[in-house]
Amino acid sequence: MLKFQFQVPKKYEVLLKLEATCLNPIDWKIQKGKLRPLFPRKFPYIPGTDVAGEVVEVGAEVKNFKTGDRVVAELGHLYGGGLAEYAVAKESLTVVRPAEVSAAEGSGLLVSGIAAYQALTQHGGIKIDGNGQHKNILITAASGGVGLYAVQLAKLGNTHVTATCGARNMELVRSLGADEVLDYKTPEGEALRSPSGRKYDVVLHCATGISWSTFEPTLSERGKVIDITPGAGAMMTFFLRKLTFSKKQLVPILTVSPSIENLDCLIKLVKEGKLETIIDSKHPLMKAEDAWAKSIDGHATGKIVVEI
C-alpha cells in the first residue's frame, strides 16, 4: 500500500499519513453492493472512512491545519480511502486530535460517536450538560459501536438509562453508566421491560428485528423510538403514525450528517475523561482482512480498528 502520485490535496484538502482506521458495518455493506447505486461513486474504491493521522501536506487555501498536526477526519462514503497508508481529507471534515486522545480512540468517534450524539441530542432532546428535563431512556444493542457511546452520552444528561445487550457484555454496559441492563435473550429483555417499571420517553434503537408492537407498550404518553437501522416496516410505521397524529412516534434515521462541531465536542469529552472509545480489537494494515471478517461477523464489542 503506497502513496500514489495522484494523492495531491486540492485547495481545501489535507493529505494525511494515516495512523488508524475504524471499520463500520456500512463499509462491508458497500463492498457487497447493498448500497448501490449510491455508494461507491466510482471504482477503484478503497474502503474505510473514519481515520486518524498526521497532516503531511495542505492545500493552497487550507487555514486551520499545518504539516505535523495530528488529526481525525471523515473521508466520506462516496470516495472512502481509509484502508491505506495515505488519504486525502476535506479541511471541513477534519479536527485536531489532542495528545490525550490516541489515534485508535479518535478514529472510533466519527460515524458511531456522531450517530449516537445526533440521535440523543437532536432527536431525543437530551442535553449532555445535564441541565435538561429528566428522561427515561432505553438503548437497544448497547454493546455495539453506537450503543456504547450512547450509554455514556445519555448519562451525561439528566437521564435514567435502561440498556439491552448480550449476557457477556452486561457488566461492561453497566460500568459505562447504565442504570438497568437487560439480557436481550431473556423474556424481560425480549419485552424490553424496565426492571423498575419505568416507561421510556426515548428509545434509541440500535438493533434490528424488533417490531413497533413490542416498543409501544413500553413508551410514555409521548415517547418516541429513534431507529438508526430502519427497514421497510419502520418506514411504514413512521408514515402511519404521522398521518394519524399519534402521540407516540417512530423516528427513522436514514443518514448521519458529518459535523465538525459534533466531532470536536466528542473529542473534548474523550480528552476530559468523560467519554471512552471501547475498542474490540486492533489489527495491522497487512491483516486488514481479519478486521473485515470480524466486522461482517457482527459480534464485536466496541470498535474494530486497523492500525497503519
Side-chain angles (χ1 to χ4, degrees), residues 10-11 41 52 75-76 95 97 111 118 122 136 140 181 199 211 229 231-233 237 242 249 268-269 285 288 296 300:
K10 298 177 182 178
K11 61 181 181 178
R41 185 170 181 176
L75 302 181
V95 172
R97 173 172 58 86
V111 168
Q118 291 182 358
Q122 296 179 14
N136 296 318
T140 64
V181 184
K199 296 292 186 180
S211 66
T229 58
T237 299
K242 280 290 186 182
Q249 293 289 326
K268 287 178 180 177
L269 291 174
L285 181 59
I296 293 175

Side-chain angles (χ1 to χ4, degrees), residues 115-138:
Y117 184 91
Q118 291 182 358
L120 292 171
T121 59
Q122 296 179 14
H123 302 285
I126 308 301
K127 296 184 180 297
I128 63 171
D129 61 5
N131 292 324
Q133 180 182 2
H134 177 79
K135 293 180 184 288
N136 296 318
I137 298 179
L138 169 67

Side-chain angles (χ1 to χ4, degrees), residues 43-57:
F43 293 97
Y45 180 81
I46 299 173
T49 61
D50 298 7
V51 301
E54 178 183 351
V55 176
V56 294
E57 188 176 343

